[in-house]
């Protein structure tokens, strides 16, 4: 019984990104060894941007309004109307309310870390809560929703 209790307690302790202290090979670095944040974006073999790596958003500012930093009038009227309608009806059609995967907004939140793995025909987003998302880049058609 005591061993079970220890196992339950140990399983409940989160393992905080154990790879943070292991430098990722291939990342451009400054003279002091820190990642060079102004270096050109890495590219895949076919020249497309490589999104692979550990991602964490610095704030929750954009959780409910992706246009939070835009000046008034920059957002097109149709988009502003949709935003205002969703605010008015408390986002009843949101992915959360419909029990659907939340997509990138959920995936890269300030309180979550996500690992993005990119291949030639697939991008996989692995979240720290064990949810994942696969994005096929090979031109296939999306399945029809019923």
């Amino acid at each position: 019984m005591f061993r079970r209790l220890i196992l339950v307690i140990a399983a409940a302790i989160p393992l905080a990104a154990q790879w943070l202290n292991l430098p990722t090979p291939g990342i451009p670095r400054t003279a002091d060894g820190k990642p060079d944040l102004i270096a050109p974006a890495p590219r895949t073999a076919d020249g497309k941007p490589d999104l692979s790596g550990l991602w964490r958003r610095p704030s929750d500012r954009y959780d409910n309004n992706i246009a939070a930093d835009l000046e008034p009038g920059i957002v097109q009227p149709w988009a502003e109307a949709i935003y205002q309608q969703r605010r008015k009806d408390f986002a009843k059609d949101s992915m959360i309310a419909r029990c659907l995967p939340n997509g990138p907004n959920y995936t890269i939140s300030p309180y979550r870390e996500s690992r993005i793995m990119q291949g030639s025909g697939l991008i996989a987003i692995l979240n720290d809560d064990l949810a994942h998302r696969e994005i096929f880049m090979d031109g296939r058609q999306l399945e029809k929703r019923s």
Side-chain angles (χ1 to χ4, degrees), residues 84-126:
Q84 293 303 330
Q85 179 62 40
R86 289 179 179 164
R87 283 186 63 197
K88 188 170 92 176
D89 66 15
F90 299 106
K92 69 177 177 64
D93 292 325
S94 72
M95 303 306 265
I96 292 173
R98 297 175 62 205
C99 297
L100 295 171
N102 289 315
N105 186 39
Y106 163 81
T107 301
I108 306 171
S109 79
Y111 311 109
R112 304 192 105 80
E113 290 178 342
S114 299
R115 165 88 43 200
I116 296 180
M117 298 170 57
Q118 183 173 346
S120 60
L122 174 71
I123 296 174
I125 302 173
L126 311 173

Side-chain angles (χ1 to χ4, degrees), residues 12-28:
I13 298 171
L15 297 175
Q18 57 270 36
W19 54 78
L20 285 180
N21 294 325
L22 180 64
T24 304
I27 291 180

Side-chain angles (χ1 to χ4, degrees), residues 27-39:
I27 291 180
R29 299 199 175 270
T30 60
D32 62 358
K34 294 182 180 177
D36 185 356
L37 301 180
I38 59 172

Side-chain angles (χ1 to χ4, degrees), residues 61-78:
R61 178 171 176 79
Y62 308 102
D63 275 353
N64 296 311
N65 183 6
I66 196 164
D69 289 335
L70 297 180
E71 298 292 327
I74 290 180
V75 177
Q76 294 185 8
W78 64 267

Side-chain angles (χ1 to χ4, degrees), residues 36-70:
D36 185 356
L37 301 180
I38 59 172
R43 300 283 176 176
T44 60
D46 59 0
K48 295 180 181 169
D50 186 359
L51 303 174
S52 299
L54 183 64
W55 289 78
R56 185 174 191 183
R57 199 167 60 189
S59 78
D60 60 356
R61 178 171 176 79
Y62 308 102
D63 275 353
N64 296 311
N65 183 6
I66 196 164
D69 289 335
L70 297 180

